[in-house]
């Protein structure tokens, strides 16, 4: 009946884009894709400023496997009406199918901002966030999708939450097995001190300094890392900083002759001859 009435309207008003668009909708609802496609295309040819019709045209094209043509139609809808949530949703979902994740994320977020009931958009946003390594963001989107549609959670969200749960559980098990596998381990200070030695040997003074400083922070009563900090400062022509580190080392280990010699060298270059002689 709708088709008959709309055809009568077009008979009286040839090329009327509203009637053409509704004919497309009638045929789309009755699963006649070819007829729907024909009338939607005629409608946008008569009047291009119809974002809803562009979006509907995109749906028919996408269902017919004409992906690039569907993409263009959705882009037209989004360009005409940036706040049209369906246009943003359809465009974002198709971009996600094409693995254009940055663009998909932008349009799906816009859709969700306009309409918070799009569970599928939240699920796909979660999948995109997970793909980019943003696990906490992914979890939030998955939970949002689940809350929107608890009786029919989108597959992306249910699979995503299960994957995160499996990942965290598996990692915790592995972490436990690794930590109990070794009865005696070096302290963090010892590890960082050894790392500093490796960096120093490789002449990477910046990383060496960072490693020795961490060793000092972990074990303030250990003189050796402070000695190395003093050496690195001296190599970088900073005798004042060098002397500070070495004096701290001497307070911890006053019998260390190497420390006294190095302090003497720092005093010598600073012109403090009597102090240098005393240390020597």
């Amino acid at each position: 009946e709708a088709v008959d009435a709309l055809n009568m309207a077009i008979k009286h008003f040839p090329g009327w884009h509203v009637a053409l668009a509704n004919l497309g909708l009638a045929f789309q609802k009755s699963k006649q894709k070819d007829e729907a496609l024909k009338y939607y295309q005629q409608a946008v040819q008569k009047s291009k400023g119809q974002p809803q019709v562009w979006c509907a045209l995109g749906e028919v094209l996408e269902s017919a496997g004409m992906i690039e043509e569907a993409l263009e139609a959705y882009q037209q809808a989004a360009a005409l009406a940036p706040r049209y949530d369906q246009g943003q949703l359809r465009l974002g979902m198709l971009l996600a199918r094409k693995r254009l994740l940055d663009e998909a994320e932008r349009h799906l977020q816009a859709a969700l901002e306009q309409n918070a009931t799009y569970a599928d958009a939240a699920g796909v946003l979660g999948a995109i966030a997970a793909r980019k390594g943003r696990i906490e963001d992914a979890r939030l989107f998955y939970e949002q999708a689940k809350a929107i549609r608890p009786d029919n959670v989108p597959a992306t969200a249910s699979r995503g939450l299960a994957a995160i749960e499996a990942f965290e559980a598996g990692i915790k098990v592995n972490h436990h097995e690794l930590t109990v596998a070794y009865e005696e381990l070096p302290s963090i200070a010892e590890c960082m001190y050894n790392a500093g030695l490796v960096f120093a040997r490789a002449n990477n003074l910046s990383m060496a300094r960072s490693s020795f400083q961490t060793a000092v922070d972990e074990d303030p009563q250990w003189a050796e890392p402070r000695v190395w900090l003093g050496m690195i400062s001296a190599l970088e022509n900073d005798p004042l900083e060098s002397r500070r580190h070495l004096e701290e080392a001497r307070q911890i280990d006053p019998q260390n002759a190497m420390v006294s010699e190095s302090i003497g060298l720092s005093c010598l270059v600073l012109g403090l001859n009597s102090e240098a002689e005393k240390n020597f």
Side-chain angles (χ1 to χ4, degrees):
E1 290 86 350
V3 169
D4 289 342
L6 290 164
N7 277 323
M8 184 64 70
I10 291 172
K11 181 178 178 180
H12 290 291
F13 300 97
W16 187 23
H17 65 275
V18 175
L20 291 168
N22 279 284
L23 266 174
L25 178 60
F27 283 117
Q28 184 180 9
K29 286 181 175 293
S30 59
K31 311 297 183 185
Q32 299 181 61
K33 293 180 183 178
D34 291 342
E35 289 296 299
L37 184 60
K38 179 177 74 174
Y39 284 107
Y40 279 144
Q41 286 174 329
Q42 289 182 22
V44 294
Q45 285 170 3
K46 293 295 181 182
S47 176
K48 295 187 181 299
Q50 303 180 85
Q52 291 88 348
V53 182
W54 280 109
C55 191
L57 172 60
E59 290 181 47
V60 176
L61 289 165
E62 187 175 359
S63 67
M66 303 169 70
I67 301 303
E68 293 306 319
E69 293 84 349
L71 181 60
E72 292 179 9
Y74 292 145
Q75 287 171 333
Q76 282 279 5
L80 285 167
R83 296 180 65 82
Y84 176 38
D85 54 309
Q86 271 288 331
Q88 295 287 355
L89 175 69
R90 293 289 182 183
L91 177 55
M93 296 294 273
L94 185 54
L95 288 166
R97 281 181 59 192
K98 290 173 64 66
R99 300 290 189 271
L100 299 171
L101 301 186
D102 289 343
E103 293 180 60
E105 188 173 34
R106 178 163 54 86
H107 290 289
L108 289 172
Q109 285 176 337
L112 205 56
E113 286 170 5
Q114 299 302 319
N115 189 336
T117 66
Y118 287 141
D120 288 323
V124 173
L125 281 169
I128 292 172
R131 183 70 63 88
K132 292 183 174 183
R134 302 191 333 255
I135 300 302
E136 284 309 309
D137 286 347
R139 191 201 309 272
L140 290 173
F141 280 123
Y142 292 147
E143 292 289 357
Q144 184 178 358
K146 184 178 178 180
I148 293 169
R149 218 164 63 196
D151 297 331
N152 185 19
V153 181
T156 48
S158 59
R159 286 197 304 265
L161 286 170
I164 290 174
E165 184 178 342
F167 167 74
E168 291 178 341
I171 289 300
K172 285 177 181 177
V173 169
N174 291 339
H175 174 261
H176 176 72
E177 289 180 355
L178 286 169
T179 51
V180 300
Y182 304 96
E183 293 182 2
E184 293 186 11
L185 293 170
S187 67
I188 293 175
E190 290 171 324
C191 292
M192 296 310 298
Y193 178 77
N194 289 329
L197 293 176
V198 173
F199 284 123
R201 179 171 291 179
N203 204 31
N204 187 339
L205 298 185
S206 176
M207 289 300 295
R209 183 194 302 105
S210 177
S211 301
F212 289 129
Q213 185 60 59
T214 303
V216 167
D217 295 340
E218 291 291 330
D219 187 353
Q221 295 306 310
W222 189 11
E224 290 301 315
R226 295 181 187 273
V227 173
W228 273 99
L229 288 171
M231 290 292 182
I232 291 171
S233 295
L235 288 169
E236 293 177 339
N237 293 314
D238 190 346
L240 286 173
E241 186 70 5
S242 174
R243 183 178 177 184
R244 181 178 70 81
H245 289 300
L246 292 167
E247 289 285 7
E248 290 172 352
R250 182 158 63 180
Q251 288 177 11
I252 298 168
D253 185 8
Q255 302 303 315
N256 191 322
M258 180 182 176
V259 172
S260 295
E261 179 188 7
S262 298
I263 294 173
L265 292 170
S266 297
C267 292
L268 195 63
V269 77
L270 291 169
L272 304 172
N273 296 337
S274 59
E275 286 190 46
E277 184 177 353
K278 180 181 176 182
N279 279 282
F280 291 143

